[in-house]
């Protein structure tokens, strides 16, 4: 294995944003294939057409007690290449919607947090719920808010969990700066992952597709993520009961749960469309048990640049390919088939691997 080669591949794959279905991701897939083939591996792509969402316009604002719009994208660093291709902060598989309602802060949005709100006599019914990242998958946060009657969800990263309270923020350190937005999927993957229109079957021509209205992993209420820089004025202006001890975060003032005179508007223009996902697959056929497969995979798509998530994982898979290629040249053959995989569309809900 060569750390230098892993480093070069990492730099290559994370130089530009490479969201599934974009020209930059097509380029990343080509880079991955071109890397595996000289190892003597039979690398190819395996494609599926899947149903996913694209943000057209994301607007989040506080409308009371004063008007203030949240930013939906970070400021670029001097070294950020193709920053115009970085997608705005949004939740993959959020429905579109335009909702204005009073805000209630619900901590991490866990069942016990709603119980604590109940004890305070605060209901989220008809409200926009403001929750912080952590302790549960963001799709669960949206699902629980919906079950409690909320009309929309705003998710933010609190500096206590991921920000200046921890240690220096990027680029001085690894923690999240004030304008950074955690993007992600809210697909209800515990229901089923993958293309929401083809549960239990690969999304290939001939597979029967559900009508989107029947796709149970897609949330019914709109939601979006914001930075703690933009959550701060919302939290600061919230009135209502003071939040319990474990609801308190790192912004340096006492959090209240609301509701009160703080309203927010979520105006999300999100289009749904069919996009192609292309997995990178390299198989080494087994000698005695070719139908038994050992799969070594990592996803190859990213929300933005993806150096950590998940280029760091994919480069390890690719480097294993180099080692296996060297063994093949010495005449070694595995008993079982070994498949190396670079999955596409993971960030939306494990799309490529599930299909
Ligand atoms: Zn990932």
């Amino acid at each position: 294995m060569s750390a230098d080669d892993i480093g070069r591949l990492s730099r290559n794959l994370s130089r530009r944003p490479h969201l599934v279905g974009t020209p930059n991701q097509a380029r990343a897939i080509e880079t991955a294939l071109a890397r595996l083939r000289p190892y003597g591996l039979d690398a190819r792509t395996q494609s599926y057409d899947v149903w996913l969402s694209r943000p057209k316009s994301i607007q989040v604002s506080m409308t009371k007690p004063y008007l203030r719009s949240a930013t939906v994208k970070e400021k670029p660093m001097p070294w950020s290449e193709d920053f115009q291709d970085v997608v705005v902060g949004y939740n993959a598989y959020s429905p579109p919607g335009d909702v204005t309602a009073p805000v209630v802060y619900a901590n991490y949005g866990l069942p016990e947090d709603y119980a604590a709100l109940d004890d305070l006599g605060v209901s989220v019914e008809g409200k926009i719920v403001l929750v912080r990242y952590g302790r549960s998958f963001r799709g669960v946060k949206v699902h629980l808010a919906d079950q409690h009657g909320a009309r929309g969800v705003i998710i933010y990263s609190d500096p206590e969990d991921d920000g200046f309270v921890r240690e220096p923020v990027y680029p001085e350190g690894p923690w999240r700066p004030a304008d950074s937005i955690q993007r992600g999927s809210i697909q209800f993957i515990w229901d089923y992952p993958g293309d929401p229109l083809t549960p239990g079957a690969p999304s290939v021509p001939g597979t029967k597709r559900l009508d989107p209205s029947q796709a149970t992993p897609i949330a019914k209420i709109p939601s979006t993520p914001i930075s703690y820089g933009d959550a701060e004025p919302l939290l600061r202006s919230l009135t209502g009961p003071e939040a319990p001890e474990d609801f308190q975060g790192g912004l340096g003032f006492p959090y209240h749960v609301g509701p009160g005179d703080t309203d927010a508007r979520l105006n999300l223009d999100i289009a749904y469309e069919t996009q192609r996902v292309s997995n990178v697959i390299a198989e080494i056929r087994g000698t005695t048990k070719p139908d038994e497969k050992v799969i070594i995979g990592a996803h190859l798509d990213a929300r933005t640049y993806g150096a950590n998530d998940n280029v760091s994982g994919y480069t390890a898979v690719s480097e294993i390919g180099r080692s296996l290629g060297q063994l093949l040249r010495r005449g070694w053959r595995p008993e079982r088939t070994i498949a190396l995989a670079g999955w596409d569309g993971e960030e939306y809900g494990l799309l490529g691997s599930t299909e």
Side-chain angles (χ1 to χ4, degrees), residues 299 301-303 308-310 346-347 350:
H299 77 83
D301 64 309
R303 288 255 152 241
N308 176 7
D309 179 8
N310 186 33
E346 186 273 351
E347 297 293 359
L350 318 169

Side-chain angles (χ1 to χ4, degrees), residues 24-43:
N24 283 343
Q25 172 61 353
R27 194 152 30 162
I29 290 165
E30 282 310 314
T31 300
L33 288 169
R35 188 63 175 253
L36 290 170
R37 284 174 179 151
Y39 300 156
L41 301 174
D42 175 26

Side-chain angles (χ1 to χ4, degrees), residues 205-281:
T207 294
K208 192 177 162 328
R209 281 165 175 71
L210 297 179
D211 184 81
S213 65
Q214 298 172 292
T216 53
I218 299 180
K220 299 276 184 284
I221 57 171
S223 68
T224 208
I226 62 171
S227 67
Y228 57 81
D230 282 318
E232 176 169 359
L234 273 171
L235 282 162
R236 235 184 231 287
S237 60
L238 273 182
T239 55
E242 186 161 329
E245 183 62 35
D246 64 323
F247 276 48
Q248 298 297 330
L251 287 169
F253 54 85
Y255 293 16
H256 289 251
V257 297
D261 262 349
T262 308
D263 286 7
R265 179 180 179 196
L266 275 180
N267 186 10
L268 311 180
D269 181 5
I270 296 171
Y272 274 75
E273 58 193 39
T274 300
Q275 281 285 348
R276 176 151 289 195
V277 297
S278 296
N279 300 324
V280 170
I281 304 287

